[in-house]
């Protein structure tokens, strides 16, 4: 069955770094756009970053541009989010998403999330 398993979250001080990983299985990883979203307490889930199915194109939310980097490893069926210069406002549960649309059929999968807390 489809699985997206995030890891790498934790507690980090402001200015620190973390790397999140999302291991995918149960679907054709190379056919899917992979993205990271996050949800802070009391807020809506928001887009963070996305990478195209072939890894050639990336896009970021303005709030993380220049600090976060998304990448994917086709050999490991894994997508990463390198987060640098973390700020307290980056505190949230981070979710991995896999999305594909073929004609009228959409496939949209989510992981269970990993907590990132930025605090001193």
């Amino acid at each position: 069955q489809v699985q997206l398993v995030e890891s790498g979250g934790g507690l980090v001080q402001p200015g620190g770094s973390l790397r999140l990983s999302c291991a995918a299985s149960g679907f054709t990883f190379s056919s899917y756009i992979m993205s990271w979203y996050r949800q802070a307490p009391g807020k809506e889930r928001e887009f963070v970053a996305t990478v195209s199915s072939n890894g050639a194109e990336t896009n970021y939310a303005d709030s993380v541009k220049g600090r976060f980097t998304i990448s994917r490893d086709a050999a490991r069926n894994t997508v990463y989010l390198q987060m640098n210069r973390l700020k307290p406002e980056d505190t949230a549960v981070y979710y991995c998403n896999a999305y594909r649309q073929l004609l009228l059929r959409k496939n949209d999968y989510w992981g269970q999330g990993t907590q990132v807390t930025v605090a001193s």
Side-chain angles (χ1 to χ4, degrees):
Q1 78 265 23
V2 171
Q3 280 195 308
L4 293 172
V5 181
E6 300 100 333
S7 60
L11 173 64
V12 63
Q13 292 187 341
S17 298
L18 281 175
R19 188 176 83 153
L20 305 183
S21 300
C22 172
S25 61
F27 62 98
T28 307
F29 181 74
S30 60
S31 298
Y32 281 70
I33 297 167
M34 299 300 297
S35 303
W36 288 95
Y37 287 75
R38 67 187 182 187
Q39 187 167 18
K43 294 189 176 181
E44 298 280 322
R45 189 174 297 189
E46 65 174 3
F47 166 77
V48 175
T50 191
V51 58
S52 61
S53 56
N54 64 3
E57 297 178 28
T58 58
N59 193 26
Y60 299 90
D62 287 343
S63 58
V64 307
K65 207 170 288 184
R67 299 188 298 122
F68 291 10
T69 302
I70 189 171
S71 61
R72 63 191 298 161
D73 184 335
R76 289 183 166 83
N77 282 6
T78 299
V79 61
Y80 303 99
L81 185 68
Q82 178 66 45
M83 305 186 295
N84 298 328
R85 303 200 309 274
L86 282 160
K87 304 175 181 180
E89 51 263 43
D90 295 317
T91 295
V93 177
Y94 283 71
Y95 296 92
C96 178
N97 173 261
Y99 178 82
R100 180 182 75 171
Q101 181 168 358
L102 293 177
L103 298 177
L104 296 179
R105 178 172 179 172
K106 297 180 184 180
N107 296 102
D108 193 11
Y109 307 125
W110 292 89
Q112 82 289 349
T114 186
Q115 176 70 48
V116 171
T117 302
V118 184
S120 54

